[in-house]
Amino acid sequence: MTMMIREMFRKVETACHKRVETLNEIFNSLPKQRQKSVVVVFGICITVVSVMLVLNSSSHGYSEVGFKPDKIAMPYDIFMEDERGTTEDQLTPVGKMKGEIDGEFESFYVAVDNQGAVYINRDIEYSERAYNKTDDWKQISKEKLMEYERELHFLPSQSKGVRR
């Protein structure tokens, strides 16, 4: 079976090489001024698309373009709905923040409750009850979280947590 897959990939690779060689010959046959123009126009198009994607994903409005990237969400602008049937004592993991502040290493987990309040925990319990609202979880203001965000690295939760 792996031989068949390798052979299929070889055929795809050969077809791609032929198309690239054809485009390369066409491009190289153009006059130098036309080649420069094509490269500049291609670069401008890629730049416009990239800037448009970043601006659309970081703004709250919707794009008029056919594709809509996900909004870039940070912990301070996540408002949790009670869609998974979580109780009031259950927190939803957002991620972890770590780094150095004033020469001291900081590391803590970030979670939100179903009301959108932000909580941090510097000494998390690794169990099924890890995200139950206990005394280990300290509520912080969104302004304090923004301060931490400027100084620390944010690592989003990979396993469970905020889902779109």
Side-chain angles (χ1 to χ4, degrees):
M1 178 133 172
T2 59
M3 293 300 279
M4 191 168 75
I5 293 173
R6 286 184 187 161
E7 186 63 32
M8 185 174 59
F9 279 127
R10 243 184 241 121
K11 287 180 182 179
V12 170
E13 185 179 13
T14 304
C16 288
H17 277 294
K18 286 181 182 177
R19 291 209 171 113
V20 168
E21 287 174 8
T22 304
L23 288 174
N24 192 24
E25 289 173 9
I26 292 170
F27 181 78
N28 287 337
S29 68
L30 294 174
K32 294 291 180 193
Q33 188 60 35
R34 181 68 53 103
Q35 287 178 355
K36 289 179 185 177
S37 300
V38 167
V39 169
V40 168
V41 168
F42 181 74
I44 289 171
C45 290
I46 293 297
T47 303
V48 167
V49 168
S50 300
V51 167
M52 189 175 63
L53 284 171
V54 169
L55 291 176
N56 285 338
S57 64
S58 62
S59 70
H60 294 289
Y62 290 102
S63 169
E64 299 296 323
V65 183
F67 55 93
K68 297 175 183 124
D70 289 339
K71 180 186 168 299
I72 297 172
M74 290 303 294
Y76 54 80
D77 57 26
I78 295 173
F79 181 76
M80 297 304 303
E81 294 178 14
D82 199 8
E83 62 189 38
R84 293 186 294 158
T86 58
T87 64
E88 289 184 16
D89 293 336
Q90 184 69 33
L91 298 172
T92 303
V94 175
K96 183 177 184 179
M97 297 189 99
K98 65 180 186 175
E100 215 174 294
I101 297 179
D102 298 328
E104 295 290 322
F105 182 74
E106 284 282 334
S107 175
F108 52 84
Y109 288 85
V110 180
V112 294
D113 64 6
N114 59 358
Q115 302 301 313
V118 180
Y119 292 84
I120 64 170
N121 188 341
R122 288 185 166 79
D123 188 26
I124 195 164
E125 173 185 329
Y126 295 103
S127 71
E128 290 181 11
R129 299 184 322 256
Y131 288 96
N132 288 349
K133 201 184 296 184
T134 62
D135 292 337
D136 292 338
W137 288 96
K138 306 293 182 210
Q139 185 174 357
I140 62 169
S141 67
K142 293 184 181 186
E143 291 78 23
K144 185 66 175 174
L145 181 64
M146 290 174 72
E147 281 180 38
Y148 283 136
E149 181 187 284
R150 284 191 289 271
E151 300 288 329
L152 303 174
H153 299 288
F154 175 69
L155 307 169
S157 178
Q158 305 252 335
S159 60
K160 57 183 177 174
V162 179
R163 293 186 179 96
R164 297 176 209 201

